[in-house]
Amino acid sequence: MRTTSPLPPIVMYGGGGHGKILIDLLRALGRYQLIGIVDDGRAMGEQVMGIPILGNGEKLPEIRASGVKLAINAVGGIGKPDLRIAIFERLREAGFECPALIHPWALIEPSAHIAEGAHILARAYIGSEVQIGYGALINVGAIVSHECRIGNYVNISPGAMLAGNVEVGEAAQIGMGVTINLGIRIGARARIGNGATVKADVPEGGVVRAGHIWPS
C-alpha cells in the first residue's frame, strides 16, 4: 500500500458502473491517488479501468492500517439504498473518512453546503443555499434549485429537476427526468419513478410510478 505520490491516497469500495464514473471523476479532479478498489464480487488482481482489485471488504482494516485514511463508496444503490448505507457504515467502522466528490464540470453556488460523502457528477447544478446531506448522490445533469434540502443517502438520477425549496427525505430515490414542483416535500425512502411529475407532497415510503403525475 506504500506510495510515493504527493497526492493523498484513497481507496474505493465497489467496481461497478458507478465506480467507473468515479474513477473518471477522480482523474478529472487530480486531487487524490486512487490506490485500488475493494469489491466483494471480483477477484484480487483483476483491474477496473486500470485500477487493481485489492480484495473484498475484509481487506479494509489492513488498508486503513497501512495509512490510507480516505475512502469512496462507489456502490450507487439505485433501488437498494440499504446496501449503499451499509457500505458507508462499514467504511466508518474501519476508520475511513469519505470526502465529498464534486466533478469539475458541476456548477455549485457558493452558498450551497455539500456534506461529506456526497457525489456531485458532471453538469449537475446546485443552487443557492441548497443543503446536500451525507452520502447523497446528485447525478449527471440534475438540477437542484435554490434552498432545496437533500437528506442523507438520497439518490437523484440523471436529468431530474427540483424546483426551489424542495425537501427530499433520507434515502429517497428520485428517478431520471423527474420534475418536482416548488416547495414539495418528498418523504424518507420514497421512490419517484423515471419521468414522473410531482405536484404535491409524497409521504414517507411513498411510490410514484414512472411517467405518472402525482397526485393522479
Side-chain angles (χ1 to χ4, degrees):
M1 306 296 175
R2 293 184 180 276
T3 175
T4 58
S5 171
L7 300 175
I10 196 165
V11 66
M12 189 166 73
Y13 202 126
H18 187 54
K20 292 177 180 179
I21 291 172
L22 294 179
I23 290 171
D24 275 333
L25 189 161
L26 287 170
R27 289 170 174 167
L29 282 176
R31 297 178 185 171
Y32 303 98
Q33 183 200 13
L34 181 57
I35 63 162
I37 299 168
V38 171
D39 194 296
D40 296 321
R42 294 177 182 265
M44 185 184 302
E46 289 185 29
Q47 292 196 348
V48 177
M49 295 175 64
I51 306 299
I53 301 295
L54 303 177
N56 60 25
E58 295 179 359
K59 196 80 172 179
L60 290 175
E62 178 183 336
I63 296 170
R64 182 64 186 88
S66 74
V68 179
K69 300 178 181 179
L70 301 176
I72 303 165
N73 182 354
V75 176
I78 187 67
K80 298 179 179 178
D82 287 338
L83 178 58
R84 181 167 167 81
I85 293 169
I87 298 302
F88 273 118
E89 292 175 348
R90 191 167 190 180
L91 290 171
R92 280 196 294 264
E93 289 170 0
F96 289 96
E97 299 176 10
C98 296
L101 297 179
I102 301 173
H103 197 285
W105 292 355
L107 178 55
I108 315 294
E109 298 293 1
S111 57
H113 174 76
I114 313 296
E116 295 298 291
H119 299 162
I120 315 296
L121 302 189
R123 306 300 185 189
Y125 172 71
I126 308 299
S128 301
E129 295 192 332
V130 166
Q131 299 178 34
I132 304 293
Y134 183 88
L137 170 55
I138 314 300
N139 225 302
V140 176
I143 296 173
V144 182
S145 298
H146 61 90
E147 302 169 279
C148 287
R149 295 171 300 286
I150 309 302
N152 298 340
Y153 313 117
V154 166
N155 190 323
I156 297 181
S157 298
M161 296 183 291
L162 281 62
N165 200 30
V166 169
E167 180 177 341
V168 183
E170 182 169 303
Q173 310 271 295
I174 310 298
M176 295 185 295
V178 165
T179 299
I180 302 179
N181 286 8
L182 184 73
I184 297 299
R185 304 293 181 265
I186 307 295
R189 294 183 175 270
R191 292 179 293 159
I192 313 300
N194 296 340
T197 298
V198 180
K199 297 183 175 183
D201 293 354
V202 178
E204 181 175 340
V207 176
V208 178
R209 294 170 58 190
H212 281 225
I213 297 174
W214 176 273
S216 57

